[in-house]
DNA sequence: TAAATCTATATGTCATTTACATATAAATGA
DNA sequence: TCATTTATATGTAAATGACATATAGATTTA
């Protein structure tokens, strides 16, 4: 309990840890899908942007993002094309598909439900206090 | 992506899965602590009750609950005593400690923060839609 | 111009977590 | 007596997560 594994950012206390902790791999999916609704992007950009999104999950590992992108493509939620390097090395540019947009809206609905359940649990705990 | 591992309850679709998915082991802690604020209890009772709490995490594995109880005790958040079997086999009865109550309130605070972050992400996604 | 750094996309791998199976044992009911 | 229920665990294979490493073109800097 209160294991220190993964608490990469130094100075991170239990509270910050509790707020951020979550299933890393799976919660990459909705964040990537959202970022791609803003327009096509390549992995490196996504990795850069994903950590700054408001989200109760940890900043994901860059390796995990690349792997997630491949899996999302295999599932048909995103598509990719190579963009020849006008500047810098070649990029694999991803675009969201209609299936991907549907997938994101499913995620959003599920998050609304999560909020409700979390609030119910919070209320239970607070009731005890008073 | 959308792996089926752990989707033990048959008929569980992606939505239900998204709502429930979370770090199993770590989210056992706040739920056990809350249940113990209701009064002393033994593992089997806790396992029975924990699945019925409103919570955006999966019903935890019974083996994981027993292991979590041991770890919580080692951390000083709960204490246990053996209760000689008046009825049925002997029970290890757990009680929450003051440190455990503090721990739970830390969890609750972190959940409030999680809700805020989740709502912020939801708002971002909805802004895109309209 | 050589070396270092930055951008970019990966793969490798080991420890932890998770899911599920199994072990143990007392009590209880058929 | 034999199966079932209550109760507390341990064992373990597979998935996940964290971090290290590989590769390579472009750009900066010494």
């Amino acid at each position: 309990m209160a294991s220190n594994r993964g608490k990469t950012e130094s100075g991170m206390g239990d509270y910050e840890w509790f707020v951020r902790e979550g299933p890393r791999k799976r919660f990459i999916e909705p964040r990537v899908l959202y970022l791609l609704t803003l327009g096509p992007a390549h992995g490196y950009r996504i990795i850069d942007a994903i950590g700054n999104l408001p989200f109760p999950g940890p900043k994901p590992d860059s390796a995990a993002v690349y792997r997630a992108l491949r899996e999302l493509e295999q599932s048909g939620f995103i598509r990719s094309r190579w963009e020849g390097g006008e500047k810098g090395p070649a990029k694999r540019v991803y675009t969201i598909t209609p299936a991907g947009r549907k997938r994101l809206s499913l995620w959003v609905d599920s998050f609304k439900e999560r909020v409700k359940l979390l609030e119910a649990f919070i209320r239970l705990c607070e009731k005890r206090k008073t």
Side-chain angles (χ1 to χ4, degrees), chain A:
Chain A
M1 206 86 355
S3 141
N4 262 51
R5 251 191 108 255
K7 272 190 203 176
T8 39
E9 285 145 274
S10 65
M12 193 188 236
D14 280 342
Y15 177 78
E16 289 77 18
W17 180 237
F18 290 170
V19 170
R20 286 279 158 196
E21 180 55 345
R24 283 157 169 68
K25 191 181 173 186
R26 286 199 179 95
F27 283 176
I28 290 173
E29 190 179 305
R31 284 182 280 180
V32 165
L33 290 176
Y34 165 71
L35 287 172
L36 290 180
T37 65
L38 304 177
H42 62 281
Y44 201 78
R45 263 315 131 239
I46 290 169
I47 287 159
D48 206 45
I50 203 167
N52 297 322
L53 283 178
F55 198 82
K59 187 182 159 75
D61 188 67
S62 69
V65 173
Y66 281 116
R67 280 193 257 249
L69 284 167
R70 295 304 199 82
E71 286 166 32
L72 279 166
E73 186 166 27
Q74 285 197 326
S75 305
F77 298 129
I78 64 179
R79 250 182 286 110
S80 78
R81 60 174 193 277
W82 279 98
E83 204 151 275
E86 318 89 21
K87 292 223 163 195
K91 302 161 196 175
R92 189 196 280 272
V93 177
Y94 290 94
T95 315
I96 192 167
T97 65
R101 286 179 195 275
K102 260 185 212 151
R103 184 73 164 181
L104 178 58
S105 94
L106 191 71
W107 273 111
V108 171
D109 288 346
S110 82
F111 289 148
K112 289 178 187 173
E113 186 64 25
R114 290 182 84 91
V115 165
K116 278 183 200 159
L117 288 167
L118 258 184
E119 284 175 336
F121 183 75
I122 291 167
R123 269 196 306 278
L124 270 186
C125 294
E126 308 257 86
K127 213 192 308 180
R128 282 271 93 203
K129 250 199 272 184
T130 46

